Amino acid sequence: MALNEIQSALCENSPSSFDGLRAILFNTSLKTNPEESHTKLLLNVVGEILERNAVEVEHVHMASRDVAFGIYPDMTEHGANSDEWPEIWTSVDAADIIVIGTPLWLGEESSICRVLIERLYAMSGLLNNRGRAFFTIRWAVVW
């Protein structure tokens, strides 16, 4: 899905500079093919807007990743056979912006989105170099 005229004009005429910022966009659709969801179409628009404003963008399709459920930083230390979350966390840690895209059913996010939120919660005890909560200083979550 390409940007419409208004979106394109806003990107081209933006007075702000976002050079050097990094964004991670999570697709928590239940579709196993990363290219076949409405959530992906919407995240493509968000990604294009960010990229046109000089933000480095990484897309993560959660259904394509082996992320164990749970609330610890590495679930293999708590009985899971495998867990890609520690690898994904390095990208989250480096990001300035996090966007979570999820389908909604009766006002509820997807089960994959819930796993992502749990895993983000697992990292909530981290403190930055000033002793402050990691999440409140570094980035905001929107979906």
Side-chain angles (χ1 to χ4, degrees):
M1 176 184 295
L3 299 186
N4 64 34
E5 289 180 31
I6 294 171
Q7 293 164 328
S8 292
L10 287 170
C11 289
E12 292 168 15
N13 299 317
S14 174
S16 301
S17 172
F18 301 99
D19 295 356
L21 292 181
R22 297 178 66 168
I24 186 166
L25 280 57
F26 284 102
N27 179 346
T28 64
S29 170
L30 299 178
K31 301 227 176 183
T32 55
N33 183 332
E35 301 302 321
E36 290 185 353
S37 71
H38 291 100
T39 303
K40 175 64 174 169
L41 292 173
L42 291 170
L43 286 172
N44 284 346
V45 171
V46 172
E48 188 170 341
I49 289 169
L50 290 168
E51 287 172 345
R52 286 193 186 187
N53 284 282
V55 176
E56 181 183 331
V57 175
E58 178 181 352
H59 289 263
V60 176
H61 180 251
M62 290 291 289
S64 299
R65 306 298 297 264
D66 184 15
V67 176
F69 61 88
I71 56 167
Y72 295 101
D74 185 348
M75 289 307 297
T76 61
E77 297 172 1
H78 298 274
N81 292 330
S82 61
D83 187 8
E84 290 184 37
W85 179 252
E87 175 189 337
I88 294 170
W89 175 252
T90 61
S91 293
V92 174
D93 186 28
D96 301 291
I97 301 165
I98 294 178
V99 177
I100 300 174
T102 185
L104 294 175
W105 297 281
L106 300 172
E108 297 293 329
E109 71 277 358
S110 72
S111 56
I112 293 174
C113 184
R114 178 54 41 200
V115 169
L116 172 61
I117 291 168
E118 288 173 352
R119 297 315 298 273
L120 288 168
Y121 177 78
M123 313 312 275
S124 66
L126 297 177
L127 301 178
N128 68 12
N129 58 5
R130 298 163 116 179
R132 295 183 181 154
F134 184 82
F135 288 136
T136 57
I137 303 303
R138 297 287 307 273
W139 36 267
V141 179
V142 178
W143 74 85

